[in-house]
């Protein structure tokens, strides 16, 4: 039986099903009540050929809607960033971004619940991932996107047979239009911001890093933060491993945003920043003014003795150039985290020889 939903804020519980609520009546994000803790990896075989599903018994879903995703390479960043920095190549996924981690588990749960149509809102990558995995599951999908979405991302949605709904007026307007459709009962909200099944998937990012390092964790993980799907997945995964006694500490979680939208950096650092509502950025993939799980993102940073900063486009573009010249063909948003490594070193937050893992989140093939 599919896991019920529960609310960590008020304790309410909801039965699983295609008509289950997308958030609690108190307004808080819901969680999967039956989330199995990791058991000892001693004696168990981690099979990279199974992708992230090698951790299936640690995931709260009973179906597997899969395209062979996960177990992405963890490689040395090379001399440009220093040998102590490892890049996790999250652009090596079926749709070219880490969002497939969450899409595979979210559509697995949708299939488990007998959902007929999923609805999602996205600036591009999450929409392409949900559309692709919905196609794999044989479930209809409707994806709300900004009117100015990149053609390559729109094409990925359309070619998978999903229906894109283009909305004028910025990212927040896209979410608003999408939620109206969800409230009208037009489909199950496969949201990378709200749906707890998505975070079950992104927590495998932490499982893989620990497994690839012989069940140890790095000093720090630097994550780009929009809705925080990867940073929260990392937090949940590393916390689960630590609580199960599999690893001996939590890595510091270092968040990074673009100056065009930096609510977490402002909440953590509080430093003054020149910010205007119509600011644009090359890092369109993380331009989120009001993350659904803001409080949990701040908690993840604080509990791990982490930090959060915002960067301007100049630093992001310089890092993108260096990535491409180093052989990492990624999209501009992917350059935010590597650029942050340099900034964190300048600030003295990251020591020169510190052991740091940095995800490269999306492929350069998505277009600039
Ligand atoms: Zn509640």
């Amino acid at each position: 039986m599919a896991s019920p939903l529960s609310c960590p804020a008020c304790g309410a519980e909801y039965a699983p099903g295609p008509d289950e609520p997308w958030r609690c009546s108190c307004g808080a994000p819901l969680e999967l009540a039956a989330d199995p803790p990791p058991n000892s990896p001693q004696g168990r075989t981690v099979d990279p050929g199974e992708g992230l599903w090698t951790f299936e018994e640690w995931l709260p879903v009973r179906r597997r809607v899969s395209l062979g995703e996960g177990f992405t390479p963890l490689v040395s960043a090379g001399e440009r960033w220093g040998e102590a920095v490892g890049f996790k190549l999250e652009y090596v996924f079926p749709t070219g971004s880490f969002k497939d981690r969450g899409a595979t588990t979210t559509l697995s749960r949708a299939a488990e619940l007998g959902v007929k149509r999923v609805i999602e809102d996205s600036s591009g990558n999450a929409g392409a991932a949900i559309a692709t995995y919905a196609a794999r599951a044989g479930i209809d999908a409707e994806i709300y996107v900004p009117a100015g979405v990149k053609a390559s991302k729109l094409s990925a949605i359309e070619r998978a047979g999903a229906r894109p709904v283009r909305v004028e007026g910025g990212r927040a307007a896209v979410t608003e239009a999408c939620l109206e459709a969800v409230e009208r009962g037009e489909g199950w909200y496969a949201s990378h911001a709200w749906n707890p099944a998505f975070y079950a998937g992104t927590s495998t990012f932490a499982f893989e890093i620990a497994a690839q390092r012989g069940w140890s964790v790095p000093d720090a993980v630097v994550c780009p933060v929009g809705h925080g799907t990867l940073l929260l997945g990392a937090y949940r995964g590393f916390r689960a491993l630590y609580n199960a006694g599999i690893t001996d500490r939590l890595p510091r979680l270092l968040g990074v945003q673009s100056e065009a939208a930096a609510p977490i950096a402002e909440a953590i650092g509080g430093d003054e920043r020149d910010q205007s509502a119509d600011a644009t950025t090359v890092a369109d993939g993380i331009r989120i003014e009001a993350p659904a799980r803001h409080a949990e993102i701040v908690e993840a940073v604080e509990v791990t003795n982490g930090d959060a900063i915002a960067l301007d486009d100049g630093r992001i573009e310089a890092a993108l150039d260096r990535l491409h010249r180093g052989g990492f063909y990624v999209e501009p948003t992917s350059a935010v985290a590597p650029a942050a490594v340099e900034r964190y070193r300048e600030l003295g937050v990251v020591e020169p020889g510190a052991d740091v893992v940095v995800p490269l989140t999306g492929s350069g093939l998505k277009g600039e």
Side-chain angles (χ1 to χ4, degrees), residues 3 49 56 84 119 146 175 179 182 243 253 326 342 360:
S3 171
E56 184 166 28
I119 304 185
T175 299
L179 284 175
V182 172
N243 288 345
L253 295 181
E342 296 166 0
L360 301 185

Side-chain angles (χ1 to χ4, degrees), residues 7 10 24 26:
C7 175
C10 75
C24 185
C26 80

Side-chain angles (χ1 to χ4, degrees), residues 35-96:
D35 200 353
N39 47 19
S40 170
Q42 303 302 330
R44 81 190 291 278
T45 308
V46 171
D47 178 5
E50 287 282 294
L52 61 83
W53 291 96
T54 195
F55 303 109
E56 184 166 28
E57 62 193 277
W58 299 354
L59 298 175
V61 288
R62 303 275 75 82
R63 290 280 297 271
R64 193 195 283 206
V65 175
S66 173
L67 290 162
E69 59 289 316
F71 237 98
T72 56
L74 176 60
V75 304
S76 164
E79 59 189 26
R80 284 177 173 80
W81 271 272
E83 298 298 329
V85 175
F87 283 157
K88 181 114 170 105
L89 308 188
E90 295 288 283
Y91 58 99
V92 185
F93 264 103
T95 76

Side-chain angles (χ1 to χ4, degrees), residues 33 105 116 121 128 132 236 275 319 324:
T105 47
K116 300 282 183 256
D121 57 295
T132 299
R236 290 172 177 216
Q275 205 182 333
H324 288 173

Side-chain angles (χ1 to χ4, degrees), residues 117-173:
R117 181 191 292 144
V118 297
I119 304 185
E120 160 75 313
D121 57 295
S122 159
S123 60
N125 285 345
I130 293 293
T132 299
Y133 283 83
R136 181 66 163 173
I139 294 174
D140 289 343
E142 221 165 71
I143 312 292
Y144 285 69
V145 294
V149 67
K150 286 175 181 169
S152 54
K153 294 183 177 180
L154 185 65
S155 168
I157 292 166
E158 286 178 322
R159 297 292 296 170
R163 190 171 84 86
V165 181
R166 301 168 82 154
V167 181
E168 300 281 349
R171 186 66 183 81

